[in-house]
Amino acid sequence: MVDAIIEMSFVSSMVAWLHRRGGRSFDIAYNGSSFPLHGKPLHMLANQGHTSNGAGGTAVVLIGLGGILVLWMRSRPALWKKSFVKILYHIWLVTTVLSALLTLAAIIFTFVITKDHTGQAINVAYASSLHDRPYPNQVPYPLDEWTPENWFTAVLQLDLVNADDRDAIETRVHVMRGWRYNLIPMFIIGLVVVVLAFLDAFHRRKDERENRTLETKRTGQV
């Protein structure tokens, strides 16, 4: 849950900054003067962020909070006798597998799409001709498709007039890389949870079967 909350915090921080600061222009020095470059390109790819956020939310709500609830109900003999509690518990077991697979899918999707757009550069001459204006008359850079990480990495290759802009972008690029790489430990932890959950279920079922056998023998002897 802690690692998944970190993942969601990284993604939320990135999205909040994109809406707040990334939506305005950055001043770029070029050809003896400067021009405004809109903070976000026209074709920004965001599905990898939604997928990662979904994987984190699933881990927190269904696996974490849901697991606390069903394991608590399982520990109460009176509740465990009820069929719906057993159904919820087995649904949770299956969900641990689905959650790990979702995280794995997020890893593959995020790394592949980032790699596919690595090395893209902003055409400075073309960007300087766009004549960007403040919202609602902004003119986003229309060439290519970009992930947030790839876009701001490319922006850092330009001659930014404001040093504070460079510092802010560098910090946010680190955050964007952070949520991408944090998916790896999140998947490993999720996989460990799957193994432990199913081992625990196996041993509990074995204990219940042995207890029923002993009870049957005791009843027969009586």
Side-chain angles (χ1 to χ4, degrees):
M1 286 178 66
V2 170
D3 192 59
I5 289 172
I6 291 173
E7 180 69 14
M8 295 172 66
S9 298
F10 280 162
V11 177
S12 298
S13 174
M14 179 196 72
V15 171
W17 187 77
L18 284 174
H19 285 299
R20 186 179 67 254
R21 181 60 189 88
R24 301 202 300 272
S25 297
F26 300 108
D27 290 327
I28 308 298
Y30 175 69
N31 229 6
S33 61
S34 65
F35 69 91
L37 175 69
H38 191 66
K40 292 186 291 186
L42 182 61
H43 305 295
M44 178 76 85
L45 303 171
N47 286 336
Q48 70 278 12
H50 298 320
T51 305
S52 301
N53 203 41
T58 300
V60 171
V61 177
L62 296 182
I63 308 307
L65 297 177
I68 290 172
L69 177 63
V70 297
L71 292 174
W72 176 82
M73 290 191 295
R74 194 191 69 170
S75 68
R76 300 296 188 271
L79 287 175
W80 183 241
K81 292 178 181 178
K82 300 181 182 296
S83 297
F84 83 93
V85 174
K86 293 183 178 180
I87 291 172
L88 286 177
Y89 172 68
H90 286 94
I91 289 175
W92 176 77
L93 282 177
V94 173
T95 305
T96 62
V97 178
L98 297 178
S99 176
L101 291 176
L102 177 58
T103 305
L104 178 60
I107 291 174
I108 295 171
F109 182 28
T110 301
F111 275 82
V112 167
I113 198 170
T114 301
K115 184 178 183 300
D116 285 346
H117 296 277
T118 297
Q120 289 181 183
I122 297 170
N123 186 323
V124 186
Y126 179 76
S128 67
S129 69
L130 295 176
H131 305 296
D132 183 44
R133 295 289 184 272
Y135 178 86
N137 299 311
Q138 71 273 20
V139 186
Y141 184 78
L143 304 182
D144 302 318
E145 292 182 326
W146 305 81
T147 69
E149 182 182 336
N150 296 134
W151 168 253
F152 287 106
T153 299
V155 172
L156 287 174
Q157 305 306 311
L158 305 180
D159 189 3
L160 286 155
V161 173
N162 194 326
D164 289 340
D165 285 343
R166 179 170 294 278
D167 291 341
I169 294 172
E170 287 176 344
T171 298
R172 292 302 161 178
V173 168
H174 286 310
V175 171
M176 294 170 195
R177 288 175 181 157
W179 70 255
R180 179 159 61 94
Y181 282 99
N182 186 63
L183 288 167
I184 297 173
M186 199 170 88
F187 170 69
I188 294 172
I189 294 170
L191 199 58
V192 170
V193 169
V194 171
V195 173
L196 292 177
F198 275 85
L199 282 175
D200 175 61
F202 171 78
H203 287 300
R204 185 176 182 86
R205 183 174 298 179
K206 182 180 177 182
D207 290 343
E208 289 179 345
R209 189 163 52 244
E210 290 176 351
N211 289 336
R212 284 197 299 269
T213 302
L214 290 174
E215 185 65 26
T216 301
K217 290 181 178 179
R218 189 179 301 112
T219 303
Q221 290 174 354
V222 172

